């Protein structure tokens, strides 16, 4: 069984890749990834992750708010001759926008909430 404080630390760490900030401020570091606009689109606290397989045949994204989790996956089918078909550029960004939009719309009727902060020692791995 996962202890609640460990789950809270995992959620807090997942805020950075989605364009949000840790409960302890901006500890996300440098870098820009396609999902950094999700927080702005959803307009609420979010956590989550995205990733693409090394062969660029599958992409997935998960966005979690305190009251709703939305995920999406895109996978390519084999080509006409059974060739490996890769996801075109721009497709992951479209999937991210779609999932963030669903999260936004799903949360719209709900009162805003924030995530419960994890214990400081877990957030800072002390």
């Amino acid at each position: 069984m996962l202890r609640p404080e460990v789950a809270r630390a995992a959620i807090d760490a997942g805020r950075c890749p989605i364009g949000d900030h840790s409960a302890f401020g901006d500890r996300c570091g440098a870098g820009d990834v396609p999902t950094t606009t999700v927080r702005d689109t959803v307009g609420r606290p979010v956590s989550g992750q995205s990733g693409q397989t090394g062969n660029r045949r599958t992409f997935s994204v998960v966005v979690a708010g305190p009251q709703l989790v939305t995920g999406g996956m895109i996978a390519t089918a084999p080509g006409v001759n059974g060739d490996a078909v890769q996801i075109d550029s721009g497709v992951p960004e479209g999937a991210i926008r779609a999932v963030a939009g669903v999260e936004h719309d799903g949360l719209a009727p709900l009162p805003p909430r924030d995530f419960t902060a994890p214990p400081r020692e877990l957030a800072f791995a002390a």
Side-chain angles (χ1 to χ4, degrees):
M1 183 171 165
L2 187 65
R3 296 184 330 216
E5 59 270 18
V6 173
R8 290 181 183 124
I11 286 290
D12 196 59
R15 294 177 82 164
C16 291
I18 298 293
D20 208 341
H21 293 95
S22 164
F24 300 97
D26 186 2
R27 299 182 36 80
C28 298
D32 189 29
V33 295
T35 52
T36 57
T37 61
V38 170
R39 170 64 164 96
D40 291 338
T41 301
V42 175
R44 307 271 185 111
V46 288
S47 180
Q49 189 59 273
S50 69
Q52 184 166 267
T53 56
N55 62 8
R56 297 195 56 211
R57 294 191 65 193
T58 307
F59 174 82
S60 61
V61 59
V62 175
V63 177
Q67 301 134 302
L68 178 67
V69 177
T70 306
M73 177 180 277
I74 296 174
T76 61
V80 175
N81 298 323
D83 301 333
V85 177
Q86 294 184 334
I87 294 172
D88 291 333
S89 64
V91 171
E93 292 80 2
I96 292 164
R97 283 191 302 275
V99 169
V102 169
E103 185 79 4
H104 171 272
D105 293 351
L107 288 171
L110 302 174
R113 283 184 49 198
D114 203 350
F115 294 105
T116 302
R120 188 172 192 79
E121 63 272 8
L122 282 177
F124 287 87

